[in-house]
Amino acid sequence: MDGDVAVGVKRGSDELNMYGSSPNSMTANGSDSKKQRLDESPPSRVLHIRKLPNEVSETEVIALGLPFGKVTNILMLKGKNQHYHSSKVEHGVPFQAFLELGTEEAAVTMVNYYTAVTPQVRNTPVFIQYSNHKELKTDSALNQRAQAVLQAVSAVQDGSSPSSDPGVLDLTPPPSPVLRIIIDNMFYPVTLDVLQQIFSKFGTVMKIITFTKNNQFQALLQFSDPVNAQQAKLSLDGQNIYNSCCTLRIDFSKLVNVNVKYNNDKSRDYTRPDLPTGDGESTNKDHSLLGAISPLSAAAAAAAAAGRVALSGSGVSGVLLASNLNEEMVTPQSLFTLFGVYGDVQRVKILYNKKDSALIQLSDGNQAQLAMSHLNGQKVFGKVMRVTLSKHQTVALPREGLDDQLLTKDFSGSPLHRFKKPGSKNFQNIFPPSATLHLSNIRDGVGEDDLRLLFSNSGGTVKAFKFFQDRKMALIQMSSVEEGIQALMDLHNYDMGGNHHLKVSFSKSTI
């Protein structure tokens, strides 16, 4: 990663004034700056953070260091080594900051960590390297606000109540170990497991309940200790889970204890693995989901450590490997339709010498992870399908005339992509495979009997049916999730005549 643990930056003598010129705290290396730049600075507990976005707050910079240990000092600079709070602040020039950690060991861990994972603040990559100062001596009058923030943060880490100016951060002792979490701009679904991975960076998560209220996805999450809840709130409130969407809004709940009755994908008590799922199935149902998200968990933990939570799939290939397929039945088209519920499928290749496996290329890593988390472990054509991230970056097309078995298909120009339009309603209607299907674009004059017949012909049993008021949309319930998947693959985009193509999606509703 270029320049992350790069080299000392040229420091002019004007920077000295901000630190007080204690000979131990830094060296005046105006004259040596060229030589200094050629060698990497040796490890130090002071880190230099560059290319911070404009208007960034001390709390956001401190959050980068929080997971690695105690942050003992911070200095924010703007533009050409001007002090953050000087009156001559230039507009549009990126900030720099110096962050001092309690120990050199913590700083080394942090630098090594961010060499593997790009640190981001407000969705902007920043650069972190060792400073050639061994400690920060800051002028406390100039740096008052930063000191108040630090005092507040360290009080949270120590679990005591700070005597800082309450105008900076309200840090009365945390009222509860339970956080109420609301997710705004939810263009990608957020699962209970993703929340657990993000929040457990700050302490032991004991219980989570998720629900929808006022059309918003919300959760109650209980830590073992109120101090952990406060740290999580301080670091994560206002951050995005995925790039530029799914913003966390976090408050303390009035409850001090969450009562969980069932362990399933809506609620979980991690202290009581013996709880029933509440739907007559064994708890194992969730293990396929957990397995599916495990590649995400590294990203989630990584991202949470960065104090921004973006699980952006940008570093992840958009290609999936589906295996244990029914090779008699599966076609590129059926995989295009099924995986197309979670992303825009560009290409599908059924493997020539292993026809129970296929590569599916989606538009990006986020879509691939979404499809994987929803489809791994589902029954398709009678067999339990496995879905993993592929090491391939793209799916290669065969040379002209070589694919006589039609195993590879390019869908890049397909008019059936659901997510081409940014902000499309489809982003908000992504649900796990379900027995109940949502039908839309139903042609005038087509009645319930016609649709029941059409769907029972796909090999399933129709249990219930309900038209919406305008009769252009309906819900239809099959007898199992597997039948729902089969019906969607067979009948999405079915031509009902008169240029009306039926649209089929999974639904969270029941009839």
Side-chain angles (χ1 to χ4, degrees), residues 27 33 48 125 153 178 201 210 220 259 329 378 403 495 499:
T27 42
S33 61
H48 182 202
V153 171
V178 180
K201 187 74 198 164
T210 62
L220 291 173
N259 183 24
M329 307 287 288
Q378 295 290 352
D403 186 19
D495 187 352
N499 208 15

PDB file of all heavy atoms in Angstrom, residues 27 33 48 125 153 178 201 210 220 259 329 378 403 495 499:
ATOM      1  N   THR A  27      13.247  16.115  17.354  1.00  0.00           N
ATOM      2  CA  THR A  27      14.496  16.693  16.887  1.00  0.00           C
ATOM      3  C   THR A  27      14.174  17.733  15.845  1.00  0.00           C
ATOM      4  O   THR A  27      13.286  17.524  15.019  1.00  0.00           O
ATOM      5  CB  THR A  27      15.370  15.606  16.240  1.00  0.00           C
ATOM      6  OG1 THR A  27      14.499  14.792  15.456  1.00  0.00           O
ATOM      7  CG2 THR A  27      16.060  14.752  17.282  1.00  0.00           C
ATOM      8  N   SER A  33      16.025  17.024   6.718  1.00  0.00           N
ATOM      9  CA  SER A  33      14.754  16.448   6.284  1.00  0.00           C
ATOM     10  C   SER A  33      14.907  15.573   5.047  1.00  0.00           C
ATOM     11  O   SER A  33      14.235  14.581   4.922  1.00  0.00           O
ATOM     12  CB  SER A  33      13.737  17.541   6.033  1.00  0.00           C
ATOM     13  OG  SER A  33      14.216  18.382   5.020  1.00  0.00           O
ATOM     14  N   HIS A  48       2.031   9.678  12.661  1.00  0.00           N
ATOM     15  CA  HIS A  48       1.683  10.831  11.832  1.00  0.00           C
ATOM     16  C   HIS A  48       0.592  10.362  10.868  1.00  0.00           C
ATOM     17  O   HIS A  48       0.776   9.378  10.153  1.00  0.00           O
ATOM     18  CB  HIS A  48       2.941  11.270  11.067  1.00  0.00           C
ATOM     19  CG  HIS A  48       2.717  12.474  10.205  1.00  0.00           C
ATOM     20  ND1 HIS A  48       3.517  12.788   9.139  1.00  0.00           N
ATOM     21  CD2 HIS A  48       1.777  13.446  10.241  1.00  0.00           C
ATOM     22  CE1 HIS A  48       3.070  13.900   8.563  1.00  0.00           C
ATOM     23  NE2 HIS A  48       2.024  14.320   9.221  1.00  0.00           N
ATOM     24  N   PRO A 125      -9.559   7.272   2.247  1.00  0.00           N
ATOM     25  CA  PRO A 125      -8.346   6.591   2.727  1.00  0.00           C
ATOM     26  C   PRO A 125      -7.370   7.609   3.320  1.00  0.00           C
ATOM     27  O   PRO A 125      -7.200   8.697   2.767  1.00  0.00           O
ATOM     28  CB  PRO A 125      -7.738   5.970   1.466  1.00  0.00           C
ATOM     29  CG  PRO A 125      -8.767   6.094   0.407  1.00  0.00           C
ATOM     30  CD  PRO A 125      -9.715   7.173   0.797  1.00  0.00           C
ATOM     31  N   VAL A 153     -12.489  10.477  26.377  1.00  0.00           N
ATOM     32  CA  VAL A 153     -12.314   9.133  25.814  1.00  0.00           C
ATOM     33  C   VAL A 153     -11.598   8.229  26.805  1.00  0.00           C
ATOM     34  O   VAL A 153     -11.984   7.081  27.015  1.00  0.00           O
ATOM     35  CB  VAL A 153     -11.529   9.199  24.480  1.00  0.00           C
ATOM     36  CG1 VAL A 153     -11.160   7.801  24.023  1.00  0.00           C
ATOM     37  CG2 VAL A 153     -12.360   9.893  23.422  1.00  0.00           C
ATOM     38  N   VAL A 178     -27.147  -1.415  27.349  1.00  0.00           N
ATOM     39  CA  VAL A 178     -27.949  -1.696  26.147  1.00  0.00           C
ATOM     40  C   VAL A 178     -27.956  -0.476  25.226  1.00  0.00           C
ATOM     41  O   VAL A 178     -28.248   0.636  25.651  1.00  0.00           O
ATOM     42  CB  VAL A 178     -29.403  -2.051  26.532  1.00  0.00           C
ATOM     43  CG1 VAL A 178     -30.226  -2.348  25.271  1.00  0.00           C
ATOM     44  CG2 VAL A 178     -29.430  -3.249  27.479  1.00  0.00           C
ATOM     45  N   LYS A 201     -16.050  -5.819  18.698  1.00  0.00           N
ATOM     46  CA  LYS A 201     -14.717  -5.212  18.769  1.00  0.00           C
ATOM     47  C   LYS A 201     -14.554  -4.430  20.072  1.00  0.00           C
ATOM     48  O   LYS A 201     -13.447  -4.193  20.539  1.00  0.00           O
ATOM     49  CB  LYS A 201     -14.570  -4.275  17.558  1.00  0.00           C
ATOM     50  CG  LYS A 201     -13.204  -3.689  17.384  1.00  0.00           C
ATOM     51  CD  LYS A 201     -12.220  -4.714  16.854  1.00  0.00           C
ATOM     52  CE  LYS A 201     -10.809  -4.255  17.104  1.00  0.00           C
ATOM     53  NZ  LYS A 201      -9.834  -5.298  16.977  1.00  0.00           N
ATOM     54  N   THR A 210     -33.336  -7.664  16.681  1.00  0.00           N
ATOM     55  CA  THR A 210     -33.530  -6.740  15.552  1.00  0.00           C
ATOM     56  C   THR A 210     -35.024  -6.680  15.232  1.00  0.00           C
ATOM     57  O   THR A 210     -35.745  -7.659  15.423  1.00  0.00           O
ATOM     58  CB  THR A 210     -32.761  -7.198  14.300  1.00  0.00           C
ATOM     59  OG1 THR A 210     -33.271  -8.479  13.890  1.00  0.00           O
ATOM     60  CG2 THR A 210     -31.274  -7.314  14.564  1.00  0.00           C
ATOM     61  N   LEU A 220     -31.665  -3.685  19.365  1.00  0.00           N
ATOM     62  CA  LEU A 220     -31.216  -3.481  20.745  1.00  0.00           C
ATOM     63  C   LEU A 220     -30.048  -4.429  20.949  1.00  0.00           C
ATOM     64  O   LEU A 220     -30.154  -5.624  20.644  1.00  0.00           O
ATOM     65  CB  LEU A 220     -32.334  -3.802  21.737  1.00  0.00           C
ATOM     66  CG  LEU A 220     -33.522  -2.845  21.738  1.00  0.00           C
ATOM     67  CD1 LEU A 220     -34.640  -3.373  22.630  1.00  0.00           C
ATOM     68  CD2 LEU A 220     -33.107  -1.441  22.200  1.00  0.00           C
ATOM     69  N   ASN A 259     -34.622  -8.950  26.924  1.00  0.00           N
ATOM     70  CA  ASN A 259     -35.145 -10.303  27.130  1.00  0.00           C
ATOM     71  C   ASN A 259     -35.279 -11.004  25.773  1.00  0.00           C
ATOM     72  O   ASN A 259     -36.090 -10.606  24.941  1.00  0.00           O
ATOM     73  CB  ASN A 259     -36.502 -10.210  27.832  1.00  0.00           C
ATOM     74  CG  ASN A 259     -37.064 -11.577  28.136  1.00  0.00           C
ATOM     75  OD1 ASN A 259     -36.305 -12.547  28.252  1.00  0.00           O
ATOM     76  ND2 ASN A 259     -38.375 -11.684  28.232  1.00  0.00           N
ATOM     77  N   MET A 329     -29.972 -30.238 -13.919  1.00  0.00           N
ATOM     78  CA  MET A 329     -30.996 -29.182 -13.997  1.00  0.00           C
ATOM     79  C   MET A 329     -30.427 -27.774 -14.194  1.00  0.00           C
ATOM     80  O   MET A 329     -31.077 -26.918 -14.763  1.00  0.00           O
ATOM     81  CB  MET A 329     -31.816 -29.163 -12.694  1.00  0.00           C
ATOM     82  CG  MET A 329     -32.415 -30.490 -12.294  1.00  0.00           C
ATOM     83  SD  MET A 329     -33.798 -30.935 -13.342  1.00  0.00           S
ATOM     84  CE  MET A 329     -35.031 -29.769 -12.774  1.00  0.00           C
ATOM     85  N   GLN A 378     -28.682 -22.867   0.831  1.00  0.00           N
ATOM     86  CA  GLN A 378     -30.090 -23.002   0.388  1.00  0.00           C
ATOM     87  C   GLN A 378     -30.229 -24.227  -0.522  1.00  0.00           C
ATOM     88  O   GLN A 378     -29.288 -24.604  -1.227  1.00  0.00           O
ATOM     89  CB  GLN A 378     -30.523 -21.760  -0.401  1.00  0.00           C
ATOM     90  CG  GLN A 378     -30.558 -20.485   0.425  1.00  0.00           C
ATOM     91  CD  GLN A 378     -31.685 -20.457   1.456  1.00  0.00           C
ATOM     92  OE1 GLN A 378     -32.556 -21.331   1.468  1.00  0.00           O
ATOM     93  NE2 GLN A 378     -31.655 -19.464   2.340  1.00  0.00           N
ATOM     94  N   ASP A 403     -17.551 -23.033 -27.202  1.00  0.00           N
ATOM     95  CA  ASP A 403     -18.442 -23.404 -26.094  1.00  0.00           C
ATOM     96  C   ASP A 403     -19.675 -24.118 -26.651  1.00  0.00           C
ATOM     97  O   ASP A 403     -20.783 -23.617 -26.586  1.00  0.00           O
ATOM     98  CB  ASP A 403     -18.847 -22.136 -25.322  1.00  0.00           C
ATOM     99  CG  ASP A 403     -19.659 -22.448 -24.067  1.00  0.00           C
ATOM    100  OD1 ASP A 403     -19.607 -23.599 -23.597  1.00  0.00           O
ATOM    101  OD2 ASP A 403     -20.349 -21.543 -23.576  1.00  0.00           O
ATOM    102  N   ASP A 495     -43.117 -14.114 -19.660  1.00  0.00           N
ATOM    103  CA  ASP A 495     -43.860 -13.263 -20.600  1.00  0.00           C
ATOM    104  C   ASP A 495     -45.354 -13.548 -20.488  1.00  0.00           C
ATOM    105  O   ASP A 495     -45.817 -14.626 -20.844  1.00  0.00           O
ATOM    106  CB  ASP A 495     -43.358 -13.539 -22.025  1.00  0.00           C
ATOM    107  CG  ASP A 495     -43.968 -12.551 -23.015  1.00  0.00           C
ATOM    108  OD1 ASP A 495     -44.867 -11.778 -22.614  1.00  0.00           O
ATOM    109  OD2 ASP A 495     -43.550 -12.569 -24.191  1.00  0.00           O
ATOM    110  N   ASN A 499     -46.318  -7.641 -23.915  1.00  0.00           N
ATOM    111  CA  ASN A 499     -45.095  -7.019 -23.395  1.00  0.00           C
ATOM    112  C   ASN A 499     -45.116  -6.836 -21.881  1.00  0.00           C
ATOM    113  O   ASN A 499     -44.492  -5.929 -21.350  1.00  0.00           O
ATOM    114  CB  ASN A 499     -44.845  -5.676 -24.106  1.00  0.00           C
ATOM    115  CG  ASN A 499     -43.361  -5.357 -24.133  1.00  0.00           C
ATOM    116  OD1 ASN A 499     -42.539  -6.255 -23.885  1.00  0.00           O
ATOM    117  ND2 ASN A 499     -43.014  -4.129 -24.406  1.00  0.00           N
TER     118      ASN A 499
END
